[in-house]
Amino acid sequence: MAEDDGQGGGRRRLRSRQWFDDPDDPGMTALYLERYLNYGLTREELQSGRPIIGIAQTGSDLAPCNRHHLQLASRVKDGIRDAGGVPIEFPIHPIQETGKRPTAALDRNLAYLSLVEVLHGYPIDGVVLTTGCDKTTPACLMGAATVNIPAIVLSGGPMLDGWWNGRLAGSGTVIWEARKLLATGRIDTEQFMQIAASSAPSVGHCNTMGTALSMNSLAEALGMSLPGCAAIPAPYRERGWMAYETGRRIVAMVHENLRPSDILTRAAFENAIVVASAIGASSNCPPHIIAIARHMGVPLTIEDWQAIGADIPLLVDCQPAGRFLGERFHRAGGVPAVMRELLDAGRLHGAAMTVTGRTVADNLAAVSEPDREVIRAYGDPLKEKAGFVVLSGNLFDNAVMKVSVIDPEFRRRFLADPPDVFEGKAVVFEGPEDYHARIEDPALGIDERTILVIRNCGPVGYPGSAEVVNMQPPKALLSRGIAALPTMGDGRQSGTSGSPSILNVSPEAAVGGGLALLRTGDRVRIDLNARRVDVLIDEAELAARRAAWTPPALAHKTPWEEIYRAMVGQLGTGACLEPAMLYLNIVETRGESRHSH
């Protein structure tokens, strides 16, 4: 039986009433209440037992990928009010992938921290998490998991499909292609800018299966969004419909006390890993999903991505692993169609709970046949075994490689003889500045048997972990038709990139990981069959290099950079603030905060 709310409804007493209607402490009630009246809210609204619903607003002029949430919030509010709630909108620290220096990843944990403080310290009974651009989704889910009050994700949706000269131009993906054309003189700077602009034709986040669409699809796979939410293009009218229904649903979730801990279970995270493989998700997803799980207190490791997702086939034909973009993915059936295919194949936990109050299997029961040109049948995939390969070796404890983007030319040139094995000479760069300064230096001797390596780009080294590993070959190789080389680094790469790089190397060079010991000219062997990457030097030489290594001097440019570097973990464990791992389910385990007066 739910606790009586004091209004005869038999419902659980809401958190917000500790602020707005505490008969045992009228002095504090008056202090909390009176200032919320000064912009038009009434005592009746705040003291009638109606749920106070926060809208965590990630949209701003600094975050163009999420900016339309400023308008969508009005429909969320309509839904909340029609369901009997009281909406209160508040801002989240902006995180724009293409705008924030040195990297938006630096601010994922800052936005998480600020959201935890808002959800814990203010009179909020439930929250709508507005997500979109890459890091906004994990930041919001990490915060909601930590506080563990009812929460639901409203993603902003991808941009409309971009076009250039009669062909699809995917955001991000077409820029990596245009960089190669510019380097070889096939286009000039003005054409480069026109191509880039063509890929961003409307409001919304990346229209490719980059990190934004990937992470919002995984939020839906986790059960934290209403079915069909993730892929609706931002300008479509259905996005406004979804905003309204999301507002209505969060009010019911508060009355049901349906919380992240009921939804974000081990089964839900395993579902997300399976869906990630099937959609060709971004290589940024493993650290984000691991981070969300850790903040929920659910054991999940990087090895789980190998054990659970490596043999899942690629079902979605979407750039960069395929041909199409977000609009077509939505019209083909979106995430529900993919999940139905996986459920029917016995690869999903159908009993996992979702924000609908129903299970995954219940939600998918009426999903119809998808457009098979875009979403393939499980038995007729684009690629077999398309999940992430988790690697280790004498250079690092773990790293990931997105095998769904290994194209036939790359496989023929680098992974054919012997199959899935490559050995080459390492050329090492000390960060992106060094790479850009020296990539064209003929003295490096870069050829088609070279592995490009970049280091000091991880959570501590950059700081934040930068998307710089997808390095293109020098112009001489590009002109010969060699469009890609094997690349490896302790940073990340954009989810829009089609480069099959070895990424997220942990531990990173800046904290003494093996990449710090690598030298240009060393032979490196990559064996995808054994899931190993090794530098081919003897242990004595490697030990001597380790003994001679000294940590780099790290220059902090802001107070947050210093705080972050002192607390952050590695990408293999989610790049979380490690002291924050002591703070789980904080309303229940630590109680409410002390009064302000």
Side-chain angles (χ1 to χ4, degrees):
M1 175 76 67
E3 182 184 348
D4 197 307
D5 66 359
Q7 303 298 311
R11 287 175 171 168
R12 180 179 53 88
R13 185 172 177 84
L14 300 173
R15 282 184 82 224
S16 59
R17 299 195 65 192
Q18 299 174 42
W19 279 259
F20 294 143
D21 191 19
D22 184 355
D24 296 326
D25 196 343
M28 286 309 307
T29 294
L31 280 169
Y32 291 131
L33 182 72
E34 56 94 12
R35 211 50 59 94
Y36 284 95
L37 305 178
N38 74 358
Y39 66 93
L41 287 176
T42 66
R43 281 185 59 192
E44 190 278 330
E45 288 174 286
L46 298 177
Q47 294 187 310
S48 63
R50 298 170 66 182
I52 306 299
I53 305 297
I55 301 173
Q57 179 56 266
T58 58
S60 73
D61 289 351
L62 279 176
C65 291
N66 290 31
R67 192 180 185 281
H68 58 299
H69 273 303
L70 297 173
Q71 285 73 50
L72 286 173
S74 67
R75 291 300 288 146
V76 177
K77 291 176 181 177
D78 290 342
I80 292 168
R81 286 208 169 272
D82 283 358
V86 178
I88 294 184
E89 186 177 353
F90 62 88
I92 287 184
H93 178 82
I95 318 177
Q96 175 59 36
E97 191 64 38
T98 56
K100 178 63 165 66
R101 293 181 178 181
T103 164
L106 181 69
D107 284 5
R108 184 201 70 178
N109 291 346
L110 184 58
Y112 148 78
L113 282 176
S114 66
L115 180 58
V116 168
E117 291 302 310
V118 171
L119 296 183
H120 186 249
Y122 282 90
I124 294 173
D125 299 307
V127 63
V128 175
L129 308 168
T130 67
T131 68
C133 191
D134 300 15
K135 310 301 178 292
T136 59
T137 308
C140 286
L141 284 170
M142 289 157 61
T146 297
V147 182
N148 198 26
I149 62 173
I152 190 170
V153 168
L154 174 68
S155 53
M159 294 182 282
L160 300 177
D161 290 357
W163 294 87
W164 171 255
N165 280 353
R167 61 183 285 260
L168 285 169
S171 47
T173 300
V174 78
I175 293 179
W176 313 129
E177 297 172 5
R179 284 170 63 181
K180 295 174 182 177
L181 297 175
L182 181 67
T184 54
R186 284 178 280 178
I187 60 173
D188 59 22
T189 300
E190 178 59 27
Q191 290 172 303
F192 187 11
M193 298 303 146
Q194 291 174 3
I195 291 172
S198 73
S199 67
S202 74
V203 296
H205 59 64
C206 284
N207 49 30
T208 47
M209 190 60 74
T211 307
L213 185 51
S214 297
M215 279 305 303
N216 288 296
S217 294
L218 297 192
E220 185 175 329
L222 284 167
M224 289 298 293
S225 289
L226 292 178
C229 179
I232 301 169
Y236 277 27
R237 64 183 182 180
E238 288 88 347
R239 181 55 63 190
W241 296 351
M242 183 61 71
Y244 176 79
E245 292 301 331
T246 299
R248 287 183 56 86
R249 180 57 196 154
I250 187 58
V251 176
M253 289 176 67
V254 170
H255 291 314
E256 297 162 12
N257 197 29
L258 182 60
R259 299 177 298 165
S261 57
D262 301 309
I263 299 165
L264 295 176
T265 61
R266 171 73 186 199
F269 287 107
E270 291 187 1
N271 284 349
I273 291 174
V274 170
V275 172
S277 299
I279 65 176
S282 164
S283 55
N284 288 307
C285 292
H288 292 327
I289 293 295
I290 290 170
I292 297 164
R294 292 187 70 195
H295 285 286
M296 194 69 262
V298 174
L300 194 75
T301 70
I302 191 64
E303 279 296 329
D304 287 324
W305 286 77
Q306 176 72 39
I308 297 165
D311 68 337
I312 300 296
L314 178 65
L315 303 184
V316 177
D317 194 347
C318 191
Q319 295 183 26
R323 298 172 294 167
F324 301 109
L325 296 174
E327 261 192 285
R328 188 72 184 274
F329 176 50
H330 166 64
R331 293 202 305 269
V335 175
V338 177
M339 292 185 70
R340 177 61 189 264
E341 199 67 33
L342 294 167
L343 181 70
D344 289 348
R347 302 311 299 260
L348 290 184
H349 298 288
M353 180 55 62
T354 73
V355 293
T356 66
R358 301 188 299 273
T359 66
V360 166
D362 290 339
N363 290 343
L364 299 176
V367 172
S368 58
E369 180 85 358
D371 175 352
R372 289 299 185 193
E373 188 177 17
V374 182
I375 299 174
R376 302 284 284 273
Y378 189 89
D380 181 31
L382 278 81
K383 293 182 181 179
E384 301 280 355
K385 298 182 179 179
F388 296 97
V389 172
V390 179
L391 303 161
S392 61
N394 65 1
L395 284 170
F396 48 78
D397 293 340
N398 54 74
V400 298
M401 185 177 187
K402 181 179 173 179
V403 298
S404 64
V405 291
I406 299 177
D407 61 32
E409 173 60 20
F410 189 93
R411 182 170 294 282
R412 181 193 67 78
R413 190 179 294 278
F414 302 113
L415 295 171
D417 188 21
D420 287 333
V421 177
F422 177 79
E423 185 178 313
K425 178 190 76 172
V427 171
V428 182
F429 299 100
E430 306 292 343
E433 297 84 2
D434 184 36
Y435 161 76
H436 289 298
R438 293 197 297 130
I439 185 61
E440 301 299 339
D441 184 354
L444 293 176
I446 297 174
D447 60 21
E448 56 267 39
R449 302 302 296 177
T450 296
I451 301 172
L452 302 180
V453 180
I454 193 167
R455 64 189 176 199
N456 298 316
C457 299
V460 174
Y462 206 70
S465 70
E467 292 188 334
V468 295
V469 182
N470 53 324
M471 298 168 283
Q472 68 185 35
K475 295 175 185 177
L477 292 187
L478 290 172
S479 298
R480 288 171 45 199
I482 300 172
L485 287 173
T487 58
M488 177 169 63
D490 54 11
R492 301 171 298 110
Q493 75 182 27
S494 171
T496 66
S497 172
S499 173
S501 307
I502 296 169
L503 301 154
N504 306 354
V505 167
S506 302
E508 62 183 295
V511 299
L515 286 191
L517 313 180
L518 196 64
R519 296 177 182 172
T520 292
D522 287 342
R523 302 289 297 176
V524 174
R525 180 179 174 86
I526 301 168
D527 187 339
L528 298 185
N529 301 306
R531 298 196 290 120
R532 288 193 63 87
V533 177
D534 295 288
V535 58
L536 303 180
I537 59 177
D538 62 47
E539 288 300 320
E541 170 63 15
L542 202 57
R545 292 186 190 183
R546 186 172 299 281
W549 178 79
T550 57
L554 301 175
H556 311 303
K557 296 190 176 181
T558 66
W560 171 235
E561 288 189 6
E562 182 171 3
I563 294 167
Y564 177 92
R565 277 174 160 149
M567 296 183 177
V568 73
Q570 293 296 293
L571 286 168
T573 54
C576 300
L577 298 178
E578 290 303 319
M581 294 301 100
L582 299 174
Y583 296 82
L584 304 178
N585 191 14
I586 58 176
V587 170
E588 282 194 5
T589 61
R590 294 175 179 263
E592 300 288 3
S593 291
R594 299 165 72 179
H595 282 303
S596 61
H597 287 75

